[in-house]
Amino acid sequence: MRIALITPEPGHPLLAATTALLGQGHEVEAVDPAAVDVLPGPLADVYLLKSRTPRALALARDLAARGAAVLNSPAATALCQDRLAMAELAGRAGLPFAATRAYASATVLADDPDVALPVVVKSHHSRRHDLVARADDRVQLRALAAEWADEPVVAQEFTPNSGWDHKLWVIGEQVFAALRRSELSPGGRGPTRSLPLAELPPGWAELALRVGEVFALDVYGVDIIDAGGAAPLIVDINAFPGVRGQLGAPEALAELALRAGKK
């Protein structure tokens, strides 16, 4: 079987370990989306889309239109970049997602007299080095607007919590979990530590799997906070995140790729 990785970073720990597993009997190649616009010749059996850049999405769309199996699909990947569309779809599906409102710019948000503080401010379009910050008062909100004046943003209601994010990752039907100190906490983001599924509150793993059904995702991450009494609140969903340090994750990804390539 021929498997292709659409990524500028084939050495990422998850991809490198998966490649080592698949390389025992299968052909694995990496495609840097920054270097090509179209892939000529016969299609690979499956493409793993581990990039969210416009060029990567354009390449994936072309491959999908030609009948290639692409995980995640370019449509699902793009949806997870639009934080308002993400929140709206989650709401329609009955998922517990943080209340989200869009603004044309950070300046427009700062000028809104009705915005409730504290508030979590994020770039409308999810990408590397985007805006993710908490503003506790008008001074902080204006400071964000000064730095990100023309940035389209979303505002999410801040829900008091422990300051720890539950990181749930799903590969196929396997769920992995970890705890990470939130980047919005006063001390900033801290290290990530693995969390046995048995230590998750009841129903949280099933909720992560439900997200995949709603968003048509195969490899994804769900960020959840405890809104009180073990009530889950989803604050973000990521297509094909960098799953690190999770025992069994490379094996799960290799199995998923082989299963998709056989369809």
Side-chain angles (χ1 to χ4, degrees), residues 40-240:
L43 295 172
D45 294 287
V46 63
Y47 295 85
L48 302 184
L49 178 57
K50 182 68 176 75
S51 179
R52 301 179 297 167
T53 64
R55 288 179 67 97
L57 288 171
L59 177 61
R61 290 189 186 100
D62 175 71
L63 292 167
R66 292 162 57 191
V70 182
L71 303 180
N72 297 295
S73 75
T77 300
L79 174 60
C80 289
Q81 290 184 288
D82 186 329
R83 288 189 165 112
L84 180 62
M86 184 193 307
E88 290 176 341
L89 176 56
R92 291 194 298 271
L95 298 174
F97 198 94
T100 304
R101 183 176 177 182
Y103 290 84
S105 70
T107 301
V108 174
L109 169 60
D111 290 339
D112 182 358
D114 298 323
V115 65
L117 296 166
V119 64
V120 177
V121 185
K122 301 179 180 181
S123 294
H124 189 138
H125 185 77
S126 174
R127 63 190 188 278
R128 278 192 175 187
H129 310 304
D130 61 356
L131 168 63
V132 179
R134 171 180 162 181
D136 292 329
D137 52 40
R138 288 283 169 182
V139 172
Q140 293 179 350
L141 196 57
R142 285 194 290 270
L144 284 177
E147 184 178 357
W148 297 80
D150 298 323
E151 178 79 6
V153 298
V154 297
Q156 293 182 339
E157 293 182 7
F158 175 76
T159 300
N161 62 89
S162 66
W164 289 88
D165 290 339
H166 287 75
K167 310 287 291 188
L168 274 65
W169 298 291
V170 180
I171 302 176
E173 297 176 353
Q174 295 192 45
V175 181
F176 304 87
L179 276 175
R180 177 186 292 167
R181 192 71 181 172
S182 172
E183 61 189 313
L184 302 177
S185 64
R189 176 173 288 172
T192 300
R193 66 177 181 86
S194 292
L195 184 69
L197 293 185
E199 295 184 19
L200 283 175
W204 283 31
E206 291 77 9
L207 174 61
L209 291 171
R210 173 62 179 154
V211 167
E213 296 174 359
V214 171
F215 283 79
L217 292 165
D218 299 285
V219 186
Y220 58 97
V222 186
D223 292 354
I224 302 177
I225 62 172
D226 185 341
L233 183 68
I234 300 171
V235 294
D236 207 358
I237 299 169
N238 298 287
F240 219 129

